[in-house]
């Protein structure tokens, strides 16, 4: 044993622990006064300025769940869902549950700085019950020599019963820090605001006394002429006046038998306004507890909600500065006192889980904004974003988004070439170049998805209106047809020609050419919006340039021509024949058959007008993006384009489509590929950023 070890051993052996017992809110007079404010304030249970914030914390804490975990060899803590300790605290005794236990404990903890649980054990020495003990009934005890910090606890149940000595290991002592005046106890958070609590109590008593006595004397009755009544006459007059004009007799006439002066006593209610002094008490008590006064409901704190701080932010602050630290102090004592009493405590950890606390939840709008920023910055994948939002996720979403202007450069400064699998014209380019092209196509895909979704609504409205017009055109014609609604029978010669005539009459009355014109205008408007979006993205990518008006108009005109691919007349004719055949087979009358026509005409070759509109919107938006990208790229001097197929959506898995993904084609080849793309295709193009 060296000199340091000897010195350390001697110091520990000679350690003495001083201290003195004190009441629930300290001992002795406050500085600069001889008035005992602590004695006058008492236990604070009848002070609203104390009980309001303390009860708020007591109600809030049970919203957090007491949790237990066990650390593994790597230091990770895995939560334990069931443990005898958790079960005991959940049901501490046969008479109340964990919420009552925690609320009572928080009350003592915040008012006195000390809270106590007494442990009741079974015959095997295992804890089976927990009981809350009010802080004024329990105090630590130690030998007068001071060589033991705490030897036992003294429990004074009252009611004429003798004090009980309880072993130290049978008491869970929650301390709010350590009181320097008695290091065996915690210090009350309210010890520094005793005067303010007294001010609030006295203000309440003063106003209550005034109101209880009607505030002031109601009238002054005095004899005239200098006469003086005897004490008995004065008391009799006072009693008579109170009886004759008090309670329900107020307002009755007064008649005196001798010259008497009766005058009303004036008093200004403003003189009873003590709000400023009471506001100070509210603010300081809440400050000592770490709770904003507005959260509790105090008028003093509500002013802060008018100068920038919202109630949501104040609630979160109350949990961060108030409830959270209190919960950690309570959990720390359970970790020290109770956990070891249930066997091996190695690696066990106790804490309050606040993940489900309403006030601590992230605002949904802020959460979405954060996720979008992380997605745009390439910090998370699209699949992670969708999973966080509760949206469906598949393999196609396992991609990152990064700005086109960002180029990855290794620490060496040399960008290695990364050959891409595919055809002979596969991209033999740098990784950064390929990713720029992919990012460009990905951004357009995302913009295109929104534009296609927006295009669905006007198309659906157009097809629905078109079906209704077909119904209106068909109904009067069919009402005059005697074969409509007749029992099904073998079709005689010439009946098919009769349906041909009926269909042609309906089409003529419907005016297909006018509807084709409306559809063409809708297409041209969509192509214009898509071209604007492509122009904006091309500008950001560094390939933007002004395009000749003739070329821009040709892109819009292409939309008008593409509308003809719908073949509105042919699809409508097929729908009419099908509706007539099915309606006749079902024996439907003119009204029912006309309704069937409306449904089939608006749906066309699909099952609903919404499905028809969705398919067209996706196909045409993608085609518009492709030709706009190619034409604008060519106008900017781009000679080749990178092909993406199946990379930006579900796509196809055929060998031919897989082979062309990542290949480089000329502008003319790209236009041909775009024109030959099937409906709902995923073919996309991006400028080849590797061109000089």
């Amino acid at each position: 044993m060296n000199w340091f070890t000897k010195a350390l051993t001697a110091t520990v052996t000679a350690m003495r622990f001083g201290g003195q017992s004190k009441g629930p809110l300290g001992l002795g007079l406050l500085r600069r006064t001889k008035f005992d404010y602590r004695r006058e304030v008492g236990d604070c249970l009848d002070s609203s300025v104390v009980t309001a914030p303390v009860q708020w914390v007591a109600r809030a804490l049970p919203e957090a769940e007491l949790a237990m975990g066990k650390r593994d060899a790597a230091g990770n803590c895995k939560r334990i869902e069931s443990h005898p300790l958790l079960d005991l605290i959940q049901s501490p005794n046969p008479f109340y549950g964990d919420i009552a236990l925690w609320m009572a404990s928080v009350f003592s903890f915040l008012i006195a700085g000390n809270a106590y649980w007494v442990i009741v054990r079974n015959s095997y020495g295992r804890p089976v019950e927990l009981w809350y003990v009010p802080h004024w009934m329990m105090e630590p005890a130690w030998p007068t020599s001071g060589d033991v910090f705490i030897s036992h606890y003294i429990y004074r149940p009252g009611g004429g019963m003798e004090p009980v000595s309880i072993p130290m290991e049978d008491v869970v002592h929650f301390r709010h820090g350590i009181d320097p005046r008695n290091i065996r106890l915690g210090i009350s958070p309210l010890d520094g605001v005793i005067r303010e609590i007294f001010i609030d109590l006295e203000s309440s008593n003063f106003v209550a006394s005034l109101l209880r006595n009607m505030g002031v004397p109601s009238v002054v009755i005095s004899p005239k002429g200098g006469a003086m009544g005897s004490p008995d006459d004065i008391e009799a007059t006072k009693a008579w006046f109170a009886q004759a004009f008090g309670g329900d007799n107020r307002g009755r006439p007064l008649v005196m038998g001798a010259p008497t002066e009766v005058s009303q006593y004036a008093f200004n209610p403003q003189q009873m306004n003590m709000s400023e002094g009471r506001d100070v008490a509210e603010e300081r008590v809440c400050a000592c507890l770490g709770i904003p006064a507005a959260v509790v409901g105090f008028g003093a704190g509500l002013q802060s909600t008018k100068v920038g701080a919202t109630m949501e932010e104040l609630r979160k602050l109350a949990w961060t500065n108030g409830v959270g630290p209190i919960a950690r102090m309570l959990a720390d004592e359970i970790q020290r006192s109770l956990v070891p009493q249930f066997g091996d405590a190695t690696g066990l950890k106790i804490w309050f889980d606040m993940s489900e606390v309403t006030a601590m939840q992230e605002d949904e709008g802020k959460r979405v904004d954060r996720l979008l920023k992380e997605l745009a910055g390439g910090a998370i994948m699209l699949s992670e974003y969708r999973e966080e939002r509760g949206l469906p996720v598949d393999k196609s979403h396992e991609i990152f988004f990064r700005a086109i202007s960002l180029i990855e450069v290794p620490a060496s400064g040399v960008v290695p070439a990364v050959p891409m699998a595919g055809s002979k014209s596969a991209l033999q380019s740098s990784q950064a170049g390929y990713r720029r092209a992919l990012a460009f196509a990905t951004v357009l895909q995302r913009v295109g998805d929104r534009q296609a979704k927006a295009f669905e609504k006007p198309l659906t409205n157009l097809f629905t209106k078109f079906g209704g017009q077909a119904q209106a055109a068909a109904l009067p014609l069919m009402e005059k047809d005697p074969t409509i609604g007749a029992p099904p029978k073998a079709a005689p010669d010439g009946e098919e020609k009769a349906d041909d005539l009926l269909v042609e009459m309906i089409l003529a009355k419907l005016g297909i050419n006018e509807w084709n014109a409306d559809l063409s205008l809708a297409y041209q408007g969509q192509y214009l919006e898509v071209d604007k979006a492509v122009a904006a993205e091309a500008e950001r990518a560094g390939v933007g340039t002004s395009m000749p008006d003739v070329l821009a108009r040709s892109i819009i005109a292409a939309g008008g021509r593409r509308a003809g691919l719908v073949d509105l007349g042919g699809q409508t004719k097929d729908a009419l024949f099908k509706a007539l055949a099915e309606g006749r087979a079902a024996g439907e009358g003119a009204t029912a058959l006309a309704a069937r026509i409306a449904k089939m005409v608006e749906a066309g070759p699909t099952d609903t007008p919404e499905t028809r509109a969705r398919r067209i919107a996706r196909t045409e938006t993608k085609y518009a993006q492709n030709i706009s990208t190619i034409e604008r790229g060519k106008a900017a001097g781009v000679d080749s384009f990178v092909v993406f197929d199946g990379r930006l959506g579900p796509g196809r898995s055929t060998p031919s489509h897989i082979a062309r993904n990542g290949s480089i084609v000329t502008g003319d080849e790209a236009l041909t590929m775009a024109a030959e793309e099937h409906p709902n295709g995923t073919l996309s193009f991006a400028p080849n950023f590797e061109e000089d």
Side-chain angles (χ1 to χ4, degrees):
M1 182 179 294
N2 58 29
W3 66 271
F4 178 77
T5 308
K6 290 180 180 179
L8 181 60
T9 304
T11 302
V12 173
T13 303
M15 186 69 183
R16 292 292 185 271
F17 305 99
Q20 56 183 339
S21 300
K22 64 184 182 70
L25 286 175
L27 179 68
L29 300 176
L30 300 178
R31 297 289 182 241
R32 300 184 61 79
T33 181
K34 294 183 178 180
F35 185 80
D36 194 349
Y37 288 100
R38 288 193 176 96
R39 182 176 62 83
E40 296 297 325
V41 167
D43 58 16
C44 294
L45 295 182
D46 51 3
S47 172
S48 62
V49 77
V50 173
T51 57
V54 169
Q55 288 192 83
W56 187 92
V57 177
R59 291 191 300 267
L61 180 65
E63 190 176 350
E65 181 184 6
L66 187 67
M68 176 181 283
K70 186 175 181 64
R71 292 189 180 91
D72 56 21
N76 300 317
C77 189
K78 184 178 181 181
R79 185 160 176 170
I80 299 173
E81 298 300 332
S82 180
H83 189 274
L85 170 59
L86 298 178
D87 296 338
L88 177 61
I89 295 178
Q90 184 77 22
S91 181
N93 58 66
F95 298 95
Y96 50 79
D98 61 329
I99 293 180
L101 178 66
W102 283 122
M103 291 184 70
S105 302
V106 168
F107 221 95
S108 290
F109 189 72
L110 295 184
I111 289 179
N114 298 277
Y116 301 94
W117 292 354
V118 172
I119 302 172
V120 176
R121 304 176 186 274
N122 60 14
S123 57
Y124 298 100
R126 182 62 61 90
V128 292
E129 289 182 3
L130 296 173
W131 292 87
Y132 161 76
V133 176
H135 51 271
W136 57 80
M137 293 184 179
M138 182 81 76
E139 65 176 342
W142 59 93
T144 56
S145 61
D147 56 348
V148 177
F149 190 69
I150 295 177
S151 57
H152 60 283
Y153 283 83
I154 303 298
Y155 172 45
R156 294 182 174 86
M161 291 184 286
E162 292 294 326
V164 179
S165 176
I166 300 179
M168 184 181 64
E169 58 271 16
D170 288 345
V171 176
V172 179
H173 183 182
F174 299 99
R175 298 174 178 83
H176 190 280
I178 295 179
D179 188 347
R181 292 165 295 193
N182 187 343
I183 59 176
R184 296 171 176 84
L185 295 173
I187 187 169
S188 168
L190 304 179
D191 215 10
V193 285
I194 298 300
R195 289 188 184 92
E196 285 74 10
I197 297 172
F198 177 83
I199 289 172
D200 187 80
L201 287 172
E202 283 299 292
S203 299
S204 298
N205 289 335
F206 178 71
V207 174
S209 298
L210 288 176
L211 294 176
R212 187 175 66 250
N213 297 315
M214 298 179 62
V216 292
S218 56
V219 295
V220 176
I221 302 174
S222 57
K224 282 189 175 182
M228 292 294 294
S230 66
D232 291 339
D233 290 339
I234 292 174
E235 288 298 324
T237 302
K238 184 167 61 174
W240 167 78
F241 188 86
Q243 181 180 4
F245 301 100
D248 294 336
N249 294 325
R250 292 174 181 173
R252 295 182 59 187
L254 170 66
V255 179
M256 304 299 293
T260 306
E261 182 177 352
V262 180
S263 58
Q264 185 76 31
Y265 189 86
F267 184 81
N268 184 1
Q270 295 290 337
Q271 297 174 7
M272 291 193 295
N273 184 8
M274 301 180 181
S275 59
E276 292 185 4
R278 306 194 71 177
D279 285 351
V280 171
E282 293 172 358
E283 292 169 353
R284 294 190 181 180
V285 168
C286 287
C288 288
L289 298 177
I291 307 296
V295 173
V296 178
F298 283 152
L302 292 175
Q303 300 300 323
S304 62
T305 63
K306 302 177 182 179
V307 292
T310 65
M311 187 60 72
E312 178 185 355
E313 293 169 338
L314 292 176
R315 288 195 188 98
K316 187 170 292 187
L317 184 64
W319 273 88
T320 303
N321 289 358
V323 184
I326 292 169
R328 285 190 289 274
M329 285 186 276
L330 298 176
D332 181 71
E333 184 57 35
I334 292 177
Q335 179 84 40
R336 189 192 71 83
S337 299
L338 270 180
V339 173
Q341 301 200 36
F342 289 85
D344 184 15
T346 305
L348 292 180
K349 175 67 176 176
I350 285 284
W351 75 93
F352 277 90
D353 183 6
M354 301 183 186
S355 60
E356 299 299 325
V357 174
T358 304
M360 299 299 286
Q361 301 302 309
E362 185 178 10
D363 178 76
E364 181 63 18
K366 294 179 180 178
R367 185 175 75 91
V368 172
D369 289 342
R370 173 180 59 80
L371 289 173
L372 286 174
K373 289 180 180 178
E374 292 178 351
L375 179 64
I380 61 175
M381 289 192 294
L382 178 60
S383 58
E384 295 174 287
Y385 168 80
R386 294 179 64 87
E387 186 176 358
E388 283 283 336
R389 295 294 313 280
L391 301 173
V393 178
D394 56 43
K395 287 292 184 181
S396 66
H397 299 132
E398 294 182 357
I399 55 175
F400 287 98
F401 291 133
R402 289 189 176 90
I404 296 174
S405 57
L406 296 179
I407 301 176
E408 296 182 7
V409 179
S412 62
V414 178
V415 181
V418 180
M420 303 299 298
S423 64
K424 292 182 179 179
S425 60
L427 177 61
Q428 303 293 326
S429 172
S430 70
Q431 187 179 43
Y434 174 75
R435 288 188 175 179
R436 286 188 66 190
L438 176 60
F440 179 87
T442 303
V443 171
L444 284 187
Q445 176 70 28
R446 186 170 54 193
V447 174
D449 288 343
R450 293 197 298 266
Q451 291 181 317
K453 188 68 177 177
F455 191 31
E456 289 179 22
K457 186 174 181 180
L459 285 177
T460 302
N461 293 339
L462 187 147
F463 291 135
T464 302
K465 187 177 179 182
F466 183 55
Q469 191 67 31
Q471 180 182 12
L475 182 58
L477 295 174
M478 292 188 298
E479 287 177 337
K480 298 177 182 179
D481 191 336
T483 64
I484 301 297
K489 60 181 180 179
D493 293 341
E495 185 170 325
E496 185 177 350
K497 292 185 178 180
D499 279 351
D500 283 344
L501 180 60
L502 180 58
V503 168
E504 292 299 331
M505 292 173 65
I506 295 174
L507 290 175
K509 196 171 182 180
L510 185 56
I512 292 295
N513 291 335
E514 295 180 4
W515 288 100
N516 275 327
D518 290 344
L519 186 61
S520 178
L521 287 175
Y523 267 54
Q524 292 180 53
Q526 179 70 355
Y527 272 59
L528 176 61
E529 293 301 317
V530 172
D531 183 59
K532 289 180 180 178
V534 172
E537 295 305 326
E539 184 71 29
R540 278 191 280 270
V543 294
T545 184
S546 59
M547 191 167 60
D549 291 340
V550 175
L551 190 55
R553 287 196 298 269
S554 70
I555 294 176
I556 299 172
R561 292 192 300 273
R562 291 274 296 187
L565 297 178
V566 175
D567 190 13
L568 197 59
Q571 292 180 359
T572 303
K573 179 181 284 190
D574 292 342
L576 288 172
F577 276 119
K578 185 177 180 181
L580 287 170
E582 292 181 359
R584 286 183 184 278
E588 293 177 346
T591 302
L593 188 51
R596 182 186 291 272
I597 285 175
K599 184 177 180 180
M600 289 189 171
V601 166
E602 67 181 11
T606 63
D607 54 349
T608 65
E610 291 80 10
T611 304
R612 187 183 192 184
R614 187 179 306 114
R615 184 177 185 182
I616 292 174
R618 291 177 178 177
T619 302
E620 296 308 318
T621 300
K622 175 56 65 178
Y623 179 74
Q625 275 193 342
N626 285 339
I627 64 170
S628 182
T629 299
I630 297 166
E631 295 293 356
R632 286 191 171 274
K634 291 169 65 177
V638 177
D639 295 326
S640 58
F641 297 84
V642 183
V643 179
F644 296 99
D645 194 14
R647 180 66 177 83
L648 307 175
R652 304 175 180 83
S653 57
T654 60
S656 61
H657 289 88
I658 294 175
R660 69 182 185 179
N661 181 55
S663 62
I664 295 178
V665 296
T666 65
D668 293 339
E669 290 173 336
L671 288 173
T672 301
M673 293 170 65
E676 295 174 349
E677 179 71 349
H678 295 289
N680 278 332
T682 60
L683 180 65
S684 301
F685 299 92
N688 180 13
F689 291 99
E690 292 303 308
E691 288 187 7
D692 292 336

